[in-house]
Amino acid sequence: MTASPPLPSPTIPKRFIQDLPTPGWPPIQRDVAGGRDPATIRRMNLNESPFPPSPGAIAAMQEAVTRVNYYPDPKWRDLTAALSAQTGHPQDQIVMGCGSDELIVSVGRFCLSPDDEVVVGNPSFGSYNKAAQVNGAKVVAVPVRQDGACDVQGMAEAVTARTRLVFLATPNNPTGGMLSSEDVVRLAKALPDDVLLVLDEAYYEYGIHAGGDDHLKAVAAARNGPWVSFRTFSKAYGLAGMRVGYGLSNSVELADTFQKMRSVFNVNAVAQAGALAALGDRDHMLSILERTRIERERIAAGLIRLGCEPYPSVGNFLAAKTPKPAGAVVEAMLADHGVLIGRLMVPGFEDYIRITTATSDDTDALLTGLAAVLA
Ligand SMILES: Cc1ncc(COP(=O)(O)O)c(C=O)c1O
């Protein structure tokens, strides 16, 4: 074996980038899936929708494919016009991303310098760490409340003169708790004007379906400093593979800053067409939200019956403490039952699994498998 060539320079890439993990994971092989064809495994680990997107979105994407010899609209005009009409947010303050993940990483690039601080919930979405680490900034993680929602009081208290960015996920992934507008406004008011508040609303539609507040107007009225809400077509709209997310920012200047950072054609033409058509099929989305609620409640009840302690989630996922080590539970669920679930890779949460809701058939298989694994 030959040794890897040395890096061209001790400073390229920057030290804190050398230390980052490479994203992604290897494909599942038959041997860890009990000899099953990996294509038959039930995917209940990535908070994806198990349901295809709206038929109208599929037709729009098929049509758009025939014209991909042309570049997409670099200003996503049709999509931002439709989002503006739906949300009441000014069109020139809306930015699109290749998934909301692109926006999360981008916000770190224009806010953070080495040794700055970023306040996040604990546990919360892993990309916030990346947004901080690629810029050499420090993550200050504040434990979530018992109901799995972010602790706005604790997060406000964690802010120092070095804080530049706060990621507030509601509903929070992986715990699934959501905040009232009163809570969000408390943090929005407490943050200094030189801190950017990111409201991560990737699961916004699920929160509204569960009777939660719509925070936009309340935050707009309460906060003088900069803020942005990130949402996505990956979850309730079932378009995770298309990679479309958006940011509703509080000023044209902030929206323009995102624009300056991005690659010019960051959302491809098929994705733009699919997202636009998906927005127009509200009934399809509502039926997915309702099916998700039913399966989430079945899974939560089953987990409690089996001696687990789930957080009271409103999302398309549940995190739960298990009576057996989570790593072994995840492995056995895959090997013995062909069900892929996740676990929380966060210090202090070693005993927690995370399950994405899927079809009712998947819930049956999940609960049968868990009963055997936890017996
Ligand atoms: C809280 C949260 N934010 C953002 C994302 C990123 O979603 P996407 O890049 O697919 O829009 C996810 C994905 O799981 C998430 O859970």
Side-chain angles (χ1 to χ4, degrees):
M1 228 172 72
T2 51
S4 309
L7 287 165
S9 142
T11 52
I12 299 174
K14 290 175 195 160
R15 177 75 222 169
F16 41 81
I17 293 186
Q18 291 174 31
D19 291 344
L20 283 175
T22 305
W25 41 85
I28 296 211
Q29 304 295 339
R30 274 178 190 269
D31 58 335
V32 292
R36 288 176 188 78
D37 174 355
T40 65
I41 290 165
R42 296 176 194 270
R43 290 167 67 132
M44 302 181 79
N45 63 326
L46 288 180
N47 297 357
E48 299 157 317
S49 170
F51 308 111
S54 135
I58 293 175
M61 290 188 283
Q62 283 168 335
E63 208 273 321
V65 162
T66 64
R67 285 176 285 110
V68 291
N69 45 312
Y70 296 114
Y71 284 113
D73 177 2
K75 289 285 189 189
W76 343 273
R77 287 177 189 86
D78 293 346
L79 196 45
T80 52
L83 284 168
S84 174
Q86 196 206 52
T87 59
H89 207 76
Q91 185 179 3
D92 57 3
Q93 296 176 25
I94 303 178
V95 289
M96 305 301 307
C98 176
S100 53
D101 214 39
E102 182 194 2
L103 302 174
I104 291 171
V105 175
S106 160
V107 94
R109 288 171 69 201
F110 67 74
C111 283
L112 301 172
S113 304
D115 301 325
D116 283 346
E117 291 175 3
V118 182
V119 175
V120 303
N122 186 37
S124 199
F125 187 51
S127 287
Y128 310 150
N129 294 335
K130 176 169 177 164
Q133 287 162 352
V134 292
N135 299 292
K138 185 178 146 209
V139 174
V140 178
V142 177
V144 298
R145 303 187 318 208
Q146 292 228 312
D147 64 358
C150 288
D151 175 3
V152 287
Q153 184 65 34
M155 291 172 85
E157 284 164 12
V159 170
T160 72
R162 289 207 168 275
T163 309
R164 293 279 83 82
L165 189 54
V166 174
F167 284 108
L168 183 68
T170 177
N172 185 46
N173 175 17
T175 47
M178 68 173 165
L179 295 166
S180 65
S181 281
E182 203 184 318
D183 282 331
V184 176
V185 162
R186 195 171 310 143
L187 183 62
K189 281 189 170 159
L191 293 181
D193 289 355
D194 60 355
V195 173
L196 175 62
L197 171 63
V198 174
L199 213 55
D200 186 340
E201 300 191 292
Y203 302 95
Y204 161 79
E205 296 82 3
Y206 301 88
I208 297 294
H209 190 67
D213 295 338
D214 199 330
H215 306 305
L216 279 192
K217 288 198 174 59
V219 176
R223 179 148 177 80
N224 293 325
W227 63 271
V228 60
S229 158
F230 292 156
R231 296 182 186 170
T232 183
F233 285 88
S234 296
K235 309 294 178 182
Y237 292 98
L239 285 169
M242 276 292 124
R243 313 303 303 123
V244 196
Y246 58 101
L248 305 166
S249 64
N250 78 315
S251 67
V252 175
E253 291 72 24
L254 182 55
D256 201 43
T257 306
F258 280 100
Q259 306 257 16
K260 289 175 181 165
M261 304 295 299
R262 69 181 169 90
S263 88
V264 63
F265 301 116
N266 65 336
V267 182
N268 73 66
V270 180
Q272 290 193 40
L276 182 62
L279 259 192
D281 190 350
R282 192 172 158 72
D283 287 347
H284 182 81
M285 187 197 58
L286 288 176
S287 85
I288 287 178
L289 293 176
E290 185 53 16
R291 288 158 88 177
T292 302
R293 180 190 68 76
I294 292 167
E295 298 314 313
R296 184 182 64 230
E297 289 179 2
R298 284 186 63 209
I299 295 172
L303 285 168
I304 291 167
R305 259 195 325 272
L306 293 170
C308 301
E309 295 168 42
Y311 278 103
S313 171
V314 299
N316 64 341
F317 55 87
L318 283 145
K321 190 168 191 213
T322 57
K324 289 193 173 174
V329 173
V330 170
E331 273 174 34
M333 285 299 291
L334 180 58
D336 303 341
H337 303 280
V339 179
L340 184 56
I341 60 173
R343 55 184 287 212
L344 307 199
M345 308 298 273
V346 180
F349 290 86
E350 290 80 4
D351 295 341
Y352 283 75
I353 52 173
R354 195 193 65 187
I355 298 166
T356 303
T357 61
T359 64
S360 71
D361 197 38
D362 293 327
T363 304
D364 293 343
L366 171 88
L367 294 178
T368 306
L370 279 176
V373 170
L374 295 175

Tab-separated table of all heavy atoms in Angstrom, residues 197-252:
chain	number	residue	atom	x	y	z
A	197	LEU	N	-30.765	35.792	14.029
A	197	LEU	CA	-31.640	34.713	14.517
A	197	LEU	C	-32.124	33.914	13.321
A	197	LEU	O	-32.774	34.443	12.415
A	197	LEU	CB	-32.848	35.311	15.255
A	197	LEU	CG	-33.954	34.311	15.620
A	197	LEU	CD1	-33.463	33.237	16.591
A	197	LEU	CD2	-35.170	35.031	16.214
A	198	VAL	N	-31.772	32.613	13.316
A	198	VAL	CA	-32.294	31.694	12.293
A	198	VAL	C	-33.360	30.836	12.935
A	198	VAL	O	-33.089	30.096	13.881
A	198	VAL	CB	-31.185	30.783	11.718
A	198	VAL	CG1	-31.805	29.750	10.772
A	198	VAL	CG2	-30.139	31.601	10.994
A	199	LEU	N	-34.560	30.986	12.403
A	199	LEU	CA	-35.662	30.127	12.842
A	199	LEU	C	-35.670	28.967	11.860
A	199	LEU	O	-35.948	29.174	10.677
A	199	LEU	CB	-36.926	30.953	12.669
A	199	LEU	CG	-38.089	30.804	13.602
A	199	LEU	CD1	-37.667	30.994	15.030
A	199	LEU	CD2	-39.155	31.829	13.203
A	200	ASP	N	-35.298	27.779	12.312
A	200	ASP	CA	-35.308	26.645	11.376
A	200	ASP	C	-36.674	25.979	11.464
A	200	ASP	O	-36.998	25.305	12.430
A	200	ASP	CB	-34.187	25.653	11.718
A	200	ASP	CG	-34.088	24.549	10.663
A	200	ASP	OD1	-35.081	24.346	9.929
A	200	ASP	OD2	-33.034	23.895	10.584
A	201	GLU	N	-37.468	26.196	10.405
A	201	GLU	CA	-38.834	25.675	10.370
A	201	GLU	C	-38.965	24.581	9.301
A	201	GLU	O	-39.939	24.570	8.544
A	201	GLU	CB	-39.820	26.804	10.111
A	201	GLU	CG	-39.786	27.891	11.187
A	201	GLU	CD	-40.951	28.853	11.066
A	201	GLU	OE1	-40.974	29.616	10.071
A	201	GLU	OE2	-41.820	28.854	11.935
A	202	ALA	N	-37.997	23.670	9.282
A	202	ALA	CA	-38.054	22.570	8.301
A	202	ALA	C	-39.335	21.749	8.483
A	202	ALA	O	-39.856	21.178	7.524
A	202	ALA	CB	-36.826	21.680	8.449
A	203	TYR	N	-39.845	21.714	9.718
A	203	TYR	CA	-41.065	20.923	10.009
A	203	TYR	C	-42.250	21.843	10.286
A	203	TYR	O	-43.184	21.471	11.003
A	203	TYR	CB	-40.783	19.971	11.189
A	203	TYR	CG	-39.623	19.060	10.886
A	203	TYR	CD1	-38.335	19.398	11.300
A	203	TYR	CD2	-39.794	17.911	10.117
A	203	TYR	CE1	-37.246	18.596	10.966
A	203	TYR	CE2	-38.711	17.107	9.797
A	203	TYR	CZ	-37.444	17.458	10.218
A	203	TYR	OH	-36.378	16.663	9.876
A	204	TYR	N	-42.208	23.033	9.710
A	204	TYR	CA	-43.246	24.052	9.915
A	204	TYR	C	-44.653	23.489	9.675
A	204	TYR	O	-45.567	23.664	10.497
A	204	TYR	CB	-42.956	25.215	8.944
A	204	TYR	CG	-44.110	26.125	8.673
A	204	TYR	CD1	-44.468	27.116	9.585
A	204	TYR	CD2	-44.850	26.013	7.483
A	204	TYR	CE1	-45.536	27.962	9.323
A	204	TYR	CE2	-45.910	26.854	7.224
A	204	TYR	CZ	-46.249	27.822	8.149
A	204	TYR	OH	-47.311	28.654	7.895
A	205	GLU	N	-44.848	22.796	8.546
A	205	GLU	CA	-46.193	22.325	8.183
A	205	GLU	C	-46.733	21.356	9.225
A	205	GLU	O	-47.933	21.344	9.517
A	205	GLU	CB	-46.171	21.651	6.799
A	205	GLU	CG	-45.808	22.583	5.635
A	205	GLU	CD	-44.316	22.786	5.469
A	205	GLU	OE1	-43.518	22.158	6.221
A	205	GLU	OE2	-43.923	23.587	4.580
A	206	TYR	N	-45.858	20.531	9.805
A	206	TYR	CA	-46.288	19.565	10.831
A	206	TYR	C	-46.711	20.307	12.098
A	206	TYR	O	-47.662	19.908	12.761
A	206	TYR	CB	-45.157	18.584	11.160
A	206	TYR	CG	-44.679	17.797	9.962
A	206	TYR	CD1	-43.681	18.300	9.139
A	206	TYR	CD2	-45.219	16.552	9.660
A	206	TYR	CE1	-43.243	17.597	8.036
A	206	TYR	CE2	-44.786	15.831	8.563
A	206	TYR	CZ	-43.793	16.367	7.751
A	206	TYR	OH	-43.365	15.669	6.655
A	207	GLY	N	-45.964	21.363	12.435
A	207	GLY	CA	-46.295	22.145	13.627
A	207	GLY	C	-47.667	22.799	13.482
A	207	GLY	O	-48.489	22.768	14.403
A	208	ILE	N	-47.929	23.376	12.311
A	208	ILE	CA	-49.227	24.019	12.077
A	208	ILE	C	-50.334	22.958	12.132
A	208	ILE	O	-51.384	23.164	12.743
A	208	ILE	CB	-49.224	24.736	10.695
A	208	ILE	CG1	-48.185	25.862	10.683
A	208	ILE	CG2	-50.622	25.246	10.338
A	208	ILE	CD1	-48.470	27.019	11.613
A	209	HIS	N	-50.068	21.809	11.537
A	209	HIS	CA	-51.081	20.734	11.529
A	209	HIS	C	-51.393	20.264	12.959
A	209	HIS	O	-52.510	19.835	13.250
A	209	HIS	CB	-50.580	19.562	10.679
A	209	HIS	CG	-51.633	18.533	10.409
A	209	HIS	ND1	-52.739	18.793	9.629
A	209	HIS	CD2	-51.778	17.252	10.829
A	209	HIS	CE1	-53.515	17.717	9.579
A	209	HIS	NE2	-52.950	16.762	10.290
A	210	ALA	N	-50.405	20.375	13.835
A	210	ALA	CA	-50.601	19.956	15.227
A	210	ALA	C	-51.195	21.091	16.080
A	210	ALA	O	-51.247	20.985	17.300
A	210	ALA	CB	-49.269	19.487	15.819
A	211	GLY	N	-51.588	22.190	15.427
A	211	GLY	CA	-52.226	23.282	16.159
A	211	GLY	C	-51.242	24.348	16.632
A	211	GLY	O	-51.600	25.196	17.454
A	212	GLY	N	-50.011	24.301	16.133
A	212	GLY	CA	-48.985	25.267	16.567
A	212	GLY	C	-49.169	26.638	15.937
A	212	GLY	O	-49.951	26.813	15.003
A	213	ASP	N	-48.420	27.613	16.470
A	213	ASP	CA	-48.502	28.998	15.987
A	213	ASP	C	-47.695	29.182	14.707
A	213	ASP	O	-46.684	28.512	14.492
A	213	ASP	CB	-47.893	29.952	17.036
A	213	ASP	CG	-48.688	29.962	18.333
A	213	ASP	OD1	-49.876	29.599	18.306
A	213	ASP	OD2	-48.088	30.338	19.376
A	214	ASP	N	-48.128	30.159	13.907
A	214	ASP	CA	-47.329	30.613	12.773
A	214	ASP	C	-46.536	31.820	13.284
A	214	ASP	O	-47.133	32.809	13.711
A	214	ASP	CB	-48.285	31.027	11.639
A	214	ASP	CG	-47.578	31.052	10.315
A	214	ASP	OD1	-46.366	31.326	10.312
A	214	ASP	OD2	-48.219	30.774	9.284
A	215	HIS	N	-45.199	31.722	13.269
A	215	HIS	CA	-44.393	32.713	14.001
A	215	HIS	C	-44.024	33.973	13.203
A	215	HIS	O	-43.562	34.937	13.786
A	215	HIS	CB	-43.084	32.078	14.473
A	215	HIS	CG	-43.285	30.831	15.263
A	215	HIS	ND1	-44.082	30.783	16.383
A	215	HIS	CD2	-42.804	29.574	15.093
A	215	HIS	CE1	-44.076	29.549	16.874
A	215	HIS	NE2	-43.315	28.804	16.101
A	216	LEU	N	-44.172	33.927	11.884
A	216	LEU	CA	-43.579	34.983	11.053
A	216	LEU	C	-43.974	36.398	11.488
A	216	LEU	O	-43.117	37.249	11.711
A	216	LEU	CB	-43.977	34.803	9.592
A	216	LEU	CG	-43.190	33.791	8.761
A	216	LEU	CD1	-43.536	33.962	7.290
A	216	LEU	CD2	-41.686	33.932	8.976
A	217	LYS	N	-45.268	36.625	11.583
A	217	LYS	CA	-45.729	38.000	11.880
A	217	LYS	C	-45.285	38.425	13.284
A	217	LYS	O	-44.879	39.573	13.489
A	217	LYS	CB	-47.254	38.072	11.755
A	217	LYS	CG	-47.696	37.985	10.312
A	217	LYS	CD	-49.126	38.484	10.142
A	217	LYS	CE	-49.511	38.539	8.669
A	217	LYS	NZ	-49.410	37.217	8.005
A	218	ALA	N	-45.363	37.489	14.232
A	218	ALA	CA	-44.990	37.825	15.611
A	218	ALA	C	-43.502	38.192	15.687
A	218	ALA	O	-43.125	39.170	16.355
A	218	ALA	CB	-45.298	36.647	16.536
A	219	VAL	N	-42.661	37.428	14.986
A	219	VAL	CA	-41.218	37.722	15.028
A	219	VAL	C	-40.944	39.044	14.303
A	219	VAL	O	-40.168	39.881	14.780
A	219	VAL	CB	-40.399	36.573	14.402
A	219	VAL	CG1	-38.918	36.920	14.369
A	219	VAL	CG2	-40.609	35.295	15.180
A	220	ALA	N	-41.610	39.242	13.171
A	220	ALA	CA	-41.409	40.483	12.415
A	220	ALA	C	-41.756	41.697	13.280
A	220	ALA	O	-41.046	42.712	13.255
A	220	ALA	CB	-42.257	40.465	11.143
A	221	ALA	N	-42.819	41.569	14.062
A	221	ALA	CA	-43.239	42.705	14.891
A	221	ALA	C	-42.295	42.909	16.072
A	221	ALA	O	-42.091	44.034	16.523
A	221	ALA	CB	-44.668	42.466	15.387
A	222	ALA	N	-41.688	41.809	16.563
A	222	ALA	CA	-40.920	41.892	17.806
A	222	ALA	C	-39.449	42.236	17.605
A	222	ALA	O	-38.829	42.811	18.496
A	222	ALA	CB	-41.014	40.560	18.557
A	223	ARG	N	-38.892	41.858	16.454
A	223	ARG	CA	-37.435	41.925	16.353
A	223	ARG	C	-36.965	43.061	15.450
A	223	ARG	O	-37.378	43.156	14.293
A	223	ARG	CB	-36.900	40.584	15.832
A	223	ARG	CG	-35.385	40.555	15.678
A	223	ARG	CD	-34.742	39.230	15.921
A	223	ARG	NE	-33.300	39.306	15.683
A	223	ARG	CZ	-32.435	39.796	16.574
A	223	ARG	NH1	-32.858	40.214	17.746
A	223	ARG	NH2	-31.148	39.863	16.290
A	224	ASN	N	-36.042	43.874	15.981
A	224	ASN	CA	-35.423	44.909	15.152
A	224	ASN	C	-34.223	44.362	14.403
A	224	ASN	O	-33.942	44.730	13.277
A	224	ASN	CB	-34.960	46.086	16.021
A	224	ASN	CG	-36.127	46.826	16.622
A	224	ASN	OD1	-37.174	46.946	15.980
A	224	ASN	ND2	-35.967	47.288	17.853
A	225	GLY	N	-33.489	43.464	15.061
A	225	GLY	CA	-32.283	42.899	14.457
A	225	GLY	C	-32.619	41.888	13.380
A	225	GLY	O	-33.793	41.572	13.151
A	226	PRO	N	-31.578	41.368	12.708
A	226	PRO	CA	-31.807	40.477	11.573
A	226	PRO	C	-32.336	39.101	11.969
A	226	PRO	O	-31.965	38.558	12.998
A	226	PRO	CB	-30.408	40.348	10.950
A	226	PRO	CG	-29.462	40.632	12.066
A	226	PRO	CD	-30.149	41.595	12.986
A	227	TRP	N	-33.212	38.561	11.126
A	227	TRP	CA	-33.717	37.201	11.339
A	227	TRP	C	-34.134	36.619	9.997
A	227	TRP	O	-34.385	37.339	9.029
A	227	TRP	CB	-34.874	37.162	12.340
A	227	TRP	CG	-36.096	37.918	11.914
A	227	TRP	CD1	-36.359	39.237	12.158
A	227	TRP	CD2	-37.207	37.418	11.145
A	227	TRP	NE1	-37.562	39.592	11.600
A	227	TRP	CE2	-38.109	38.491	10.981
A	227	TRP	CE3	-37.529	36.173	10.592
A	227	TRP	CZ2	-39.301	38.363	10.267
A	227	TRP	CZ3	-38.719	36.040	9.891
A	227	TRP	CH2	-39.598	37.130	9.740
A	228	VAL	N	-34.179	35.297	9.972
A	228	VAL	CA	-34.613	34.593	8.760
A	228	VAL	C	-35.251	33.278	9.181
A	228	VAL	O	-34.830	32.677	10.179
A	228	VAL	CB	-33.415	34.365	7.793
A	228	VAL	CG1	-32.313	33.522	8.420
A	228	VAL	CG2	-33.856	33.709	6.479
A	229	SER	N	-36.291	32.871	8.456
A	229	SER	CA	-36.898	31.559	8.695
A	229	SER	C	-36.560	30.649	7.522
A	229	SER	O	-36.755	31.029	6.368
A	229	SER	CB	-38.423	31.711	8.800
A	229	SER	OG	-39.039	30.476	8.519
A	230	PHE	N	-36.033	29.457	7.828
A	230	PHE	CA	-35.748	28.474	6.779
A	230	PHE	C	-36.850	27.417	6.750
A	230	PHE	O	-37.217	26.861	7.792
A	230	PHE	CB	-34.425	27.743	7.051
A	230	PHE	CG	-33.206	28.604	6.929
A	230	PHE	CD1	-32.031	28.252	7.597
A	230	PHE	CD2	-33.196	29.753	6.153
A	230	PHE	CE1	-30.888	29.034	7.490
A	230	PHE	CE2	-32.059	30.532	6.037
A	230	PHE	CZ	-30.903	30.177	6.711
A	231	ARG	N	-37.346	27.137	5.566
A	231	ARG	CA	-38.337	26.062	5.388
A	231	ARG	C	-37.903	25.196	4.208
A	231	ARG	O	-36.947	25.530	3.503
A	231	ARG	CB	-39.733	26.651	5.153
A	231	ARG	CG	-40.235	27.431	6.363
A	231	ARG	CD	-41.631	27.974	6.148
A	231	ARG	NE	-42.034	28.833	7.254
A	231	ARG	CZ	-43.125	29.589	7.252
A	231	ARG	NH1	-43.924	29.598	6.190
A	231	ARG	NH2	-43.432	30.333	8.295
A	232	THR	N	-38.618	24.111	3.988
A	232	THR	CA	-38.136	23.159	2.975
A	232	THR	C	-39.274	22.425	2.288
A	232	THR	O	-40.363	22.280	2.858
A	232	THR	CB	-37.174	22.141	3.632
A	232	THR	OG1	-36.670	21.267	2.605
A	232	THR	CG2	-37.868	21.291	4.694
A	233	PHE	N	-38.994	21.986	1.050
A	233	PHE	CA	-39.930	21.109	0.329
A	233	PHE	C	-39.595	19.644	0.571
A	233	PHE	O	-40.209	18.764	-0.002
A	233	PHE	CB	-39.881	21.428	-1.169
A	233	PHE	CG	-40.587	22.706	-1.528
A	233	PHE	CD1	-39.918	23.917	-1.491
A	233	PHE	CD2	-41.931	22.699	-1.863
A	233	PHE	CE1	-40.567	25.106	-1.800
A	233	PHE	CE2	-42.602	23.872	-2.164
A	233	PHE	CZ	-41.920	25.082	-2.137
A	234	SER	N	-38.589	19.384	1.417
A	234	SER	CA	-38.106	18.001	1.588
A	234	SER	C	-39.014	17.132	2.434
A	234	SER	O	-38.941	15.910	2.342
A	234	SER	CB	-36.736	18.008	2.279
A	234	SER	OG	-35.781	18.635	1.479
A	235	LYS	N	-39.810	17.741	3.295
A	235	LYS	CA	-40.524	16.952	4.299
A	235	LYS	C	-41.988	16.792	3.905
A	235	LYS	O	-42.360	15.816	3.290
A	235	LYS	CB	-40.363	17.613	5.670
A	235	LYS	CG	-38.904	17.935	6.036
A	235	LYS	CD	-38.079	16.695	6.210
A	235	LYS	CE	-36.623	17.011	6.524
A	235	LYS	NZ	-35.809	15.818	6.656
A	236	ALA	N	-42.845	17.766	4.271
A	236	ALA	CA	-44.289	17.628	4.041
A	236	ALA	C	-44.628	17.526	2.548
A	236	ALA	O	-45.637	16.932	2.181
A	236	ALA	CB	-45.024	18.801	4.676
A	237	TYR	N	-43.799	18.121	1.678
A	237	TYR	CA	-44.084	18.076	0.239
A	237	TYR	C	-43.480	16.849	-0.443
A	237	TYR	O	-43.682	16.637	-1.640
A	237	TYR	CB	-43.588	19.354	-0.443
A	237	TYR	CG	-44.377	20.583	-0.046
A	237	TYR	CD1	-43.905	21.446	0.935
A	237	TYR	CD2	-45.602	20.871	-0.639
A	237	TYR	CE1	-44.630	22.571	1.319
A	237	TYR	CE2	-46.333	21.991	-0.271
A	237	TYR	CZ	-45.839	22.835	0.713
A	237	TYR	OH	-46.567	23.941	1.084
A	238	GLY	N	-42.717	16.085	0.310
A	238	GLY	CA	-42.171	14.839	-0.247
A	238	GLY	C	-41.191	15.033	-1.389
A	238	GLY	O	-41.123	14.211	-2.303
A	239	LEU	N	-40.394	16.117	-1.339
A	239	LEU	CA	-39.459	16.372	-2.449
A	239	LEU	C	-37.998	16.363	-1.975
A	239	LEU	O	-37.164	17.085	-2.521
A	239	LEU	CB	-39.788	17.732	-3.090
A	239	LEU	CG	-41.036	17.752	-3.985
A	239	LEU	CD1	-41.416	19.191	-4.344
A	239	LEU	CD2	-40.800	16.955	-5.266
A	240	ALA	N	-37.683	15.523	-0.998
A	240	ALA	CA	-36.319	15.524	-0.439
A	240	ALA	C	-35.260	15.315	-1.516
A	240	ALA	O	-34.190	15.939	-1.494
A	240	ALA	CB	-36.199	14.448	0.645
A	241	GLY	N	-35.552	14.444	-2.471
A	241	GLY	CA	-34.562	14.144	-3.508
A	241	GLY	C	-34.350	15.283	-4.483
A	241	GLY	O	-33.369	15.284	-5.241
A	242	MET	N	-35.246	16.256	-4.501
A	242	MET	CA	-35.128	17.380	-5.442
A	242	MET	C	-34.260	18.507	-4.896
A	242	MET	O	-33.766	19.342	-5.633
A	242	MET	CB	-36.526	17.924	-5.784
A	242	MET	CG	-37.197	17.169	-6.880
A	242	MET	SD	-36.332	17.445	-8.433
A	242	MET	CE	-35.986	15.790	-8.890
A	243	ARG	N	-34.133	18.567	-3.562
A	243	ARG	CA	-33.296	19.564	-2.895
A	243	ARG	C	-33.785	20.999	-3.127
A	243	ARG	O	-33.174	21.769	-3.881
A	243	ARG	CB	-31.818	19.444	-3.337
A	243	ARG	CG	-31.253	18.049	-3.338
A	243	ARG	CD	-31.347	17.356	-1.988
A	243	ARG	NE	-30.705	18.089	-0.934
A	243	ARG	CZ	-31.350	18.478	0.188
A	243	ARG	NH1	-32.621	18.208	0.387
A	243	ARG	NH2	-30.692	19.137	1.115
A	244	VAL	N	-34.898	21.340	-2.492
A	244	VAL	CA	-35.391	22.720	-2.553
A	244	VAL	C	-35.766	23.194	-1.146
A	244	VAL	O	-36.634	22.604	-0.502
A	244	VAL	CB	-36.663	22.882	-3.423
A	244	VAL	CG1	-36.887	24.362	-3.753
A	244	VAL	CG2	-36.602	22.056	-4.687
A	245	GLY	N	-35.100	24.239	-0.695
A	245	GLY	CA	-35.463	24.876	0.564
A	245	GLY	C	-35.547	26.372	0.330
A	245	GLY	O	-35.155	26.871	-0.734
A	246	TYR	N	-36.075	27.103	1.296
A	246	TYR	CA	-36.142	28.562	1.117
A	246	TYR	C	-35.979	29.297	2.431
A	246	TYR	O	-36.167	28.732	3.511
A	246	TYR	CB	-37.434	28.987	0.409
A	246	TYR	CG	-38.732	28.584	1.066
A	246	TYR	CD1	-39.468	29.503	1.823
A	246	TYR	CD2	-39.246	27.301	0.920
A	246	TYR	CE1	-40.684	29.150	2.407
A	246	TYR	CE2	-40.453	26.934	1.507
A	246	TYR	CZ	-41.163	27.861	2.251
A	246	TYR	OH	-42.346	27.500	2.827
A	247	GLY	N	-35.583	30.545	2.300
A	247	GLY	CA	-35.410	31.407	3.456
A	247	GLY	C	-36.315	32.619	3.316
A	247	GLY	O	-36.374	33.241	2.248
A	248	LEU	N	-37.048	32.935	4.394
A	248	LEU	CA	-37.884	34.136	4.438
A	248	LEU	C	-37.123	35.103	5.334
A	248	LEU	O	-37.067	34.908	6.554
A	248	LEU	CB	-39.255	33.795	5.033
A	248	LEU	CG	-40.017	32.645	4.336
A	248	LEU	CD1	-41.178	32.149	5.192
A	248	LEU	CD2	-40.515	33.093	2.972
A	249	SER	N	-36.478	36.099	4.727
A	249	SER	CA	-35.582	36.942	5.528
A	249	SER	C	-36.246	38.278	5.834
A	249	SER	O	-37.200	38.668	5.176
A	249	SER	CB	-34.261	37.152	4.801
A	249	SER	OG	-34.489	37.851	3.607
A	250	ASN	N	-35.712	38.976	6.829
A	250	ASN	CA	-36.411	40.178	7.299
A	250	ASN	C	-36.027	41.434	6.534
A	250	ASN	O	-36.550	42.495	6.814
A	250	ASN	CB	-36.175	40.401	8.800
A	250	ASN	CG	-34.817	41.012	9.060
A	250	ASN	OD1	-33.826	40.576	8.485
A	250	ASN	ND2	-34.761	42.025	9.907
A	251	SER	N	-35.095	41.300	5.563
A	251	SER	CA	-34.747	42.499	4.787
A	251	SER	C	-34.240	42.094	3.406
A	251	SER	O	-33.755	40.972	3.208
A	251	SER	CB	-33.649	43.305	5.497
A	251	SER	OG	-32.445	42.560	5.503
A	252	VAL	N	-34.346	43.020	2.480
A	252	VAL	CA	-33.810	42.799	1.129
A	252	VAL	C	-32.290	42.634	1.222
A	252	VAL	O	-31.699	41.820	0.509
A	252	VAL	CB	-34.187	43.987	0.219
A	252	VAL	CG1	-33.545	43.844	-1.153
A	252	VAL	CG2	-35.699	44.097	0.091
